[in-house]
Amino acid sequence: MLAFMMAVFFFMKLVLDPYQEIMVESAKYPFRIRRKSPSPAKEITNIALILLMIFSVIGCIVFYLDGEYLQCVLTGILSISCMAILCEKNAILIYYDKNSIHIRRHLKYHVLSPGDFTESVHDKKRRKYIISFGAKSFSVPDYFPGIDFLVENLNALKTLFSTREGMDFLKDYIKERTGKSSLILHADFERVAGLRDSKFGGLPYWNPKMEYPKDEDGCGMQLLCQINFSELHEKADIQPGGEKDLLPKKGILQFFISTDPENLLAIYDDVEQKNWRIVFHDEIDESISEDDVKQLVPDADFLDWSILQKTCAINFSEETSYMKPRDFQFDALLKDAAGKLTRDENAVLDAVRCWNYLMNPYADDLFQMLYQSECYTLGHPDFAFVDPRESTVTEDSRSFYDTTLLQINFEAADHELFEDDTCSDPMIFLINSEDFARQDFSRVMCC
């Protein structure tokens, strides 16, 4: 019996060790390929196999203690078979870490360098991909979830954009064609923000003679952000030119949002301002005090929920912003860049693959150049998924919302400012540049 248990232990170690780190720390790995994607049917099968394996082990022990060795061996074989099937169904066949590709053949993982990739051949008749790394070739069914993505990324290694020269050309091309100023909004928790100051949250400046913003349920909304343009021009030392000329010289721009989390879920891709509101005060009444406003505004201490953890003042700085990958115009930009570099306008797929794949050793600099972690106004919007402007019908309507009025990056902003796990996606307010210049904030898209 001891020998049998040692054999089971050895088999489990042999089979499970290659998967242990991946299963426990799967977030480390950008992609993993299994035989099937997770599904309820797969989970039910796993539970059934686990239960059958447990009962088989218990039966094996009971039969051994009763001296029924044949039944003990049979139930032992059944438990090992269940464990083997369970591992085979759930094992990660291919995964990629920062420097290498791990491909499983039988019970062994082969560690391969992306740089050693030579070719991939799609055998459509047999429904298999033949992936070659030098003298080693691996056959992978083409219906495995994620295999198309892996092959596409491997093939991208053979393009010009996977070289240092190609990536530097792409970076310079994006800089030259899309670079424009953005104003970063830095949270300042040490400075107390006054009623009229630029700030996140807190008590908004408001004229009591005006109706205070309410959501579709009739509840008063909360101030998300307030920008005092006189303060902005004074503290940011903004140089004229480009979109910065759209900024008003004075006045206060305010962004209000509903205090109901369910209403907030409905604000994305919205232009009706039912559960959010943009308000601009072109004239500031210096006689209005905080006591005049407090009676109009929902008391944050009594709210059941708030997206803001606290209020803070805002400091401004200028930074160059570049077009982001999910902008609906980005693919056209890449196609143009590919045509300039390769003299082949059909090279757009190569360009798309090579900037947006995991194995390009030269892509990190490009990602760092495009990424903006802070909250900002002006510059290029950075969408979490798709550009909502892309779904509009005409070219004119797609290009209408051409200016970033405000982008709130909840995950990247100071963790003290926003409620944890409230919104993983950024909140973006887009406006037409001509409307911005006229200080008309009636046609704004929240996305």
Side-chain angles (χ1 to χ4, degrees), residues 5 43 88 96 117 140 171 181 222 256 262 297 352 372 375 384-385 388 406 409:
M5 297 303 294
E43 295 304 319
E88 185 65 20
Y96 172 74
F117 170 74
V140 184
K171 285 174 56 181
S181 292
Q222 180 183 27
F256 292 91
E262 292 186 3
V297 180
V352 172
Q372 287 183 273
C375 303
F385 297 105
L406 178 68
N409 290 323

Side-chain angles (χ1 to χ4, degrees), residues 125-371:
K125 185 176 181 180
R126 299 172 60 198
R127 296 201 63 188
K128 289 181 180 294
Y129 280 109
I130 310 299
I131 304 173
S132 300
F133 292 82
K136 294 182 178 179
S137 294
F138 301 87
S139 175
V140 184
D142 62 5
Y143 51 83
F144 281 8
I147 188 61
D148 291 333
F149 178 73
L150 172 66
V151 171
E152 181 179 280
N153 281 268
L154 287 171
N155 288 333
L157 291 170
K158 299 303 179 183
T159 66
L160 288 172
F161 285 103
S162 64
T163 64
R164 168 59 69 186
E165 294 76 12
M167 189 55 66
D168 286 346
F169 174 86
L170 184 57
K171 285 174 56 181
D172 293 341
Y173 196 83
I174 293 174
K175 283 182 179 180
E176 180 184 345
R177 295 295 192 279
T178 72
K180 59 182 179 180
S181 292
S182 64
L183 298 176
I184 310 301
L185 281 57
H186 303 281
D188 184 352
F189 293 99
E190 297 182 358
R191 181 163 59 90
V192 178
L195 183 66
R196 297 164 184 80
D197 291 341
S198 300
K199 57 189 171 182
F200 289 111
L203 196 65
Y205 166 83
W206 196 260
N207 190 330
K209 297 178 181 178
M210 300 169 55
E211 183 181 359
Y212 189 78
K214 296 180 180 179
D215 62 21
E216 63 179 345
D217 296 329
C219 300
M221 288 196 264
Q222 180 183 27
L223 178 69
L224 173 65
C225 180
Q226 175 171 291
I227 299 175
N228 185 316
F229 288 104
S230 298
E231 179 187 15
L232 185 153
H233 285 284
E234 178 185 346
K235 293 185 176 180
D237 189 26
I238 298 174
Q239 301 300 317
E243 283 189 339
K244 292 177 292 182
D245 294 341
L246 301 174
L247 297 172
K249 300 300 180 185
K250 62 176 184 176
I252 291 178
L253 182 63
Q254 297 170 322
F255 300 80
F256 292 91
I257 57 172
S258 173
T259 58
D260 186 335
E262 292 186 3
N263 287 341
L264 276 184
L265 294 175
I267 71 173
Y268 289 96
D269 302 348
D270 176 45
V271 296
E272 297 184 5
Q273 302 198 30
K274 289 182 179 179
N275 294 301
W276 56 277
R277 194 75 47 79
I278 308 295
V279 179
F280 179 68
H281 306 270
D282 54 350
E283 297 293 338
I284 309 301
D285 188 343
E286 298 293 339
S287 66
I288 296 174
S289 66
E290 292 189 358
D291 291 335
D292 296 329
V293 181
K294 282 181 180 178
Q295 57 184 337
L296 304 172
V297 180
D299 192 334
D301 294 334
F302 294 96
L303 291 177
D304 293 331
W305 176 87
S306 173
I307 200 170
L308 289 152
Q309 295 276 58
K310 57 177 68 175
T311 182
C312 67
I314 293 176
N315 294 325
F316 301 94
S317 67
E318 191 171 343
E319 181 179 285
T320 303
S321 173
Y322 304 101
M323 186 180 290
K324 306 299 188 286
R326 294 184 180 91
D327 193 301
F328 75 93
Q329 306 165 90
F330 197 75
D331 281 358
L333 178 72
L334 289 180
K335 181 175 181 179
D336 194 30
K340 293 288 192 301
L341 183 63
T342 66
R343 306 301 177 189
D344 178 10
E345 289 192 358
N346 293 323
V348 60
L349 288 179
D350 293 342
V352 172
R353 288 167 181 155
C354 259
W355 83 264
N356 189 30
Y357 77 101
L358 306 166
M359 303 169 199
N360 189 340
Y362 308 109
D364 285 347
D365 291 343
L366 177 61
F367 295 147
Q368 293 300 321
M369 182 185 83
L370 300 180
Y371 181 62

